Amino acid sequence: MNAAHMEVLIVEDDLLHRIYLREQVSAALPECDTIFEAENGAQGETLARAHRTAHIVMDLQMNARNGIEAARTIWLERPDTRILFWSNYADEAYVRGVSRIVPNGAAYGYVLKSTSEERLKLALRSIFVENQCVIDNEVRGMQQRSFAQASGFSESEYEILMDIALGMTDRAISKRRHLSLRSVQNRLQQIYSKLEVHQPPETLREDGAFNLRARAVTVAMMRKLLNYGALEKAEAELQSWLKGS
Amino acid sequence: MNAAHMEVLIVEDDLLHRIYLREQVSAALPECDTIFEAENGAQGETLARAHRTAHIVMDLQMNARNGIEAARTIWLERPDTRILFWSNYADEAYVRGVSRIVPNGAAYGYVLKSTSEERLKLALRSIFVENQCVIDNEVRGMQQRSFAQASGFSESEYEILMDIALGMTDRAISKRRHLSLRSVQNRLQQIYSKLEVHQPPETLREDGAFNLRARAVTVAMMRKLLNYGALEKAEAELQSWLKGS
DNA sequence: ACCGCCCTTGCGGGAACCCGCAGATTCGCG
DNA sequence: CGCGAATCTGCGGGTTCCCGCAAGGGCGGT
């Protein structure tokens, strides 16, 4: 680490936030002499590749290409890149997405936009000069709740949840995930029960019948287990799988 | 309209954007002597009621209570309130939501956060002092595409799209919307075709079977026809309908 | 080895879904 | 009023979904 020279790349689509970040970065890191800026994920990848920047702070949830996608390709090319994710929300979909792509040993951070200036500056220094991970408290809580058993989803359940969200049939899922048809259905039932999606249990009305499959998707959406970015990513993967075989 | 006295309420959850709005409002409206601020929809409603503010600028997409919900109750109480919606996106779900609740004759605006300072100031003056509607170009385009026939959804189709998103069965929908079971299914087919959701048409593979119902929901989501806020609202309506009978 | 425990897989059936077909109803227009 | 076009509705059947039941197959423990 060369203390006299540092380049930082900011990837953020909101102008005001970009300006704010620029200020905070140069205030927190006097050794930083160059700041590059991108306003979407695609541009961010290009700049990161062009300048080989080892320090990136970026938003998740951008228009052209979201932060997770961008981070994934950047980390594939240079796994030692240090990335601070700077996000509005701590949705489980985001947290899961990030922790799925971080190379082991890499330093990264995840702080919310609502945190104070001090915490942001601290995070910047911790990650970029101390090479140390910084995860916001709320995000940390989400991580634990997510990977523990408590209403938490195993990786394979999560995959299948995506599959039904994409509109795949049981049989298609069984082919894709190499399971028997019945196993897929078993997993679906686990998913339904973990999401607390069931037919109106003791109800008298026969109106309120639910299509569990469809309901599970929106319940997952409302619980922030799924979000827009995750859907897009899953859709892309599905398409390439359909081509692949 | 008293030119020497004006109160404006800003409803916006993002601190930076709130500060920016504050500046722009006082720059564009010298006659404005008081600015109230709220950081979510619920607080916005309270302040609007307390101060009887006739001029509001607010974000859609906030945590506690989104802009559309807040605007709806505010307009129910005082239909002549002037509201400028200031949003990141021109999703069809938002546009549709707004134009569904605006009282006829009321002045309102819809501008994107990405527009220039000048346009924002202009919109503020147009709505608040000239009492004139201002709709951003991109939003306007969305409106027309939405209400025209071109891949546009009729109101009843839109309702049913929500219903299947919520996981209702065909029969439940038919009860709720007072249609025969078969009619519901007809509408579903229209929806599928408008969303271009169909079984892999010329494909040889039998793997790629789709559950049209589930797929339609996420396609609608990816096309921004549905979004998180719309789902929450629909869910609330569904719950109250279930109670009601 | 024996015994639970958990996960997988198959079978079967009742319900729900997707949809082609055809008669009935509605609505607009000359 | 007549006529066409669009929509609503019922019927039927092929497929998919939801799920209870039960027969295996690993795996750790006493």
Side-chain angles (χ1 to χ4, degrees):
Chain A
M1 160 94 339
N2 186 347
H5 178 71
M6 186 190 285
E7 292 177 346
V8 173
L9 169 62
I10 295 175
V11 187
E12 162 68 71
D13 60 346
D14 186 305
L15 176 62
L16 294 177
H17 289 180
R18 210 159 56 231
I19 294 173
Y20 176 74
L21 272 184
R22 197 189 303 158
E23 289 172 5
Q24 297 303 318
V25 166
S26 52
L29 301 164
E31 59 268 58
C32 169
D33 52 14
T34 316
I35 296 181
F36 303 109
E37 297 185 14
E39 56 186 7
N40 62 55
Q43 215 177 99
E45 286 177 25
T46 308
L47 288 184
R49 195 174 299 126
H51 299 289
R52 305 186 186 291
T53 55
H55 311 90
I56 302 178
V57 31
M58 81 170 146
D59 194 5
L60 306 168
Q61 179 175 332
M62 290 174 294
N63 284 326
R65 188 158 165 73
N66 72 37
I68 293 185
E69 298 276 343
R72 208 173 71 93
T73 74
I74 289 172
W75 263 333
L76 280 180
E77 297 178 9
R78 322 185 76 240
D80 57 338
T81 308
R82 294 158 187 175
I83 304 183
L84 172 57
F85 296 102
W86 162 250
S87 170
N88 270 112
Y89 310 107
D91 293 2
E92 181 161 345
Y94 285 143
V95 174
R96 205 178 263 270
V98 167
S99 61
R100 198 211 302 266
I101 61 168
V102 45
N104 53 9
Y108 79 103
Y110 192 140
V111 310
L112 297 179
K113 288 192 178 179
S114 55
T115 53
S116 63
E117 279 190 23
E118 290 71 30
R119 308 244 318 247
L120 173 57
K121 286 182 191 162
L122 209 64
L124 285 169
R125 288 211 71 80
S126 298
I127 298 166
F128 289 166
V129 336
E130 308 292 344
N131 199 28
Q132 197 175 349
C133 287
V134 175
I135 316 291
D136 225 325
N137 286 340
E138 307 182 42
V139 180
R140 172 67 71 187
M142 172 60 69
Q143 258 186 22
Q144 288 168 347
R145 224 174 316 127
S146 158
F147 290 108
Q149 71 295 355
S151 116
F153 279 55
S154 77
E155 202 58 25
S156 76
E157 284 166 348
Y158 193 70
E159 280 179 345
I160 292 186
L161 179 58
M162 300 281 240
D163 287 343
I164 68 172
L166 292 176
M168 298 177 69
T169 68
D170 292 2
R171 171 151 43 254
I173 298 175
S174 79
K175 300 232 170 159
R176 171 124 107 129
R177 305 300 179 190
H178 306 293
L179 293 170
S180 78
L181 208 158
R182 190 57 174 92
S183 292
V184 172
Q185 294 174 333
N186 279 341
R187 295 211 130 85
L188 286 183
Q189 285 179 176
Q190 296 172 230
I191 291 173
Y192 299 153
S193 95
K194 287 192 184 176
L195 288 174
E196 291 168 280
V197 168
H198 26 243
Q199 297 301 350
E202 81 286 345
T203 203
L204 318 159
R205 81 184 73 264
E206 81 290 346
D207 322 348
F210 277 140
N211 177 333
L212 302 187
R213 162 175 300 246
R215 180 138 186 93
V217 174
T218 66
V219 168
M221 193 81 68
M222 293 198 286
R223 291 210 190 167
K224 309 297 183 71
L225 263 165
L226 259 41
N227 63 14
Y228 181 77
L231 276 186
E232 273 194 327
K233 179 160 165 293
E235 171 71 10
E237 287 172 1
L238 171 60
Q239 292 304 336
S240 82
W241 176 76
L242 282 176
K243 284 191 187 51
S245 163
Chain B
M1 157 98 335
N2 185 347
H5 179 69
M6 185 190 287
E7 292 177 347
V8 173
L9 169 60
I10 294 175
V11 187
E12 162 67 68
D13 59 346
D14 186 305
L15 175 62
L16 294 178
H17 290 181
R18 210 158 58 231
I19 293 173
Y20 175 75
L21 271 185
R22 196 189 304 159
E23 289 172 6
Q24 297 303 317
V25 166
S26 52
L29 302 166
E31 60 267 57
C32 168
D33 52 13
T34 315
I35 296 181
F36 303 108
E37 298 184 13
E39 55 186 6
N40 61 56
Q43 216 177 100
E45 286 177 26
T46 308
L47 288 184
R49 194 173 299 124
H51 299 288
R52 306 186 187 290
T53 56
H55 311 90
I56 303 178
V57 32
M58 81 170 146
D59 194 6
L60 307 169
Q61 178 175 332
M62 289 174 295
N63 284 325
R65 188 159 164 75
N66 72 36
I68 293 185
E69 298 277 341
R72 206 172 72 93
T73 75
I74 289 172
W75 264 332
L76 281 180
E77 297 178 9
R78 322 186 77 239
D80 56 340
T81 309
R82 295 160 187 174
I83 304 182
L84 171 59
F85 296 101
W86 195 55
S87 170
N88 271 110
Y89 310 106
D91 294 2
E92 180 161 346
Y94 284 142
V95 175
R96 206 177 263 271
V98 167
S99 61
R100 197 210 303 266
I101 61 167
V102 47
N104 53 8
Y108 79 104
Y110 192 141
V111 309
L112 297 179
K113 288 192 177 179
S114 55
T115 52
S116 64
E117 280 190 23
E118 289 72 30
R119 309 241 321 243
L120 173 58
K121 286 183 191 162
L122 208 64
L124 284 170
R125 289 210 72 80
S126 298
I127 299 165
F128 289 167
V129 335
E130 307 294 344
N131 199 28
Q132 197 175 349
C133 286
V134 176
I135 317 290
D136 225 323
N137 287 340
E138 308 182 41
V139 180
R140 172 67 71 188
M142 172 61 68
Q143 257 186 25
Q144 289 169 345
R145 223 174 317 128
S146 159
F147 290 109
Q149 72 294 354
S151 116
F153 279 55
S154 77
E155 202 59 25
S156 77
E157 285 167 347
Y158 194 71
E159 279 180 344
I160 292 186
L161 179 57
M162 300 281 239
D163 288 342
I164 68 171
L166 291 175
M168 296 177 71
T169 137
D170 291 2
R171 168 147 50 255
I173 297 176
S174 79
K175 300 235 168 157
R176 170 125 104 131
R177 304 300 179 191
H178 306 294
L179 292 169
S180 79
L181 208 159
R182 191 56 176 90
S183 293
V184 173
Q185 295 174 334
N186 280 341
R187 294 217 135 82
L188 286 183
Q189 284 177 181
Q190 297 173 227
I191 291 174
Y192 299 154
S193 94
K194 288 193 184 176
L195 288 174
E196 291 167 283
V197 167
H198 25 241
Q199 297 301 350
E202 80 287 344
T203 205
L204 317 161
R205 81 183 71 263
E206 81 290 348
D207 321 349
F210 277 140
N211 177 332
L212 302 186
R213 161 175 301 244
R215 179 139 188 93
V217 174
T218 66
V219 168
M221 193 80 68
M222 293 199 286
R223 291 210 190 166
K224 309 297 182 70
L225 263 165
L226 258 43
N227 64 14
Y228 181 78
L231 276 186
E232 271 193 329
K233 180 159 164 294
E235 170 72 10
E237 287 172 2
L238 170 61
Q239 291 303 335
S240 82
W241 175 78
L242 281 177
K243 284 190 186 53
S245 163

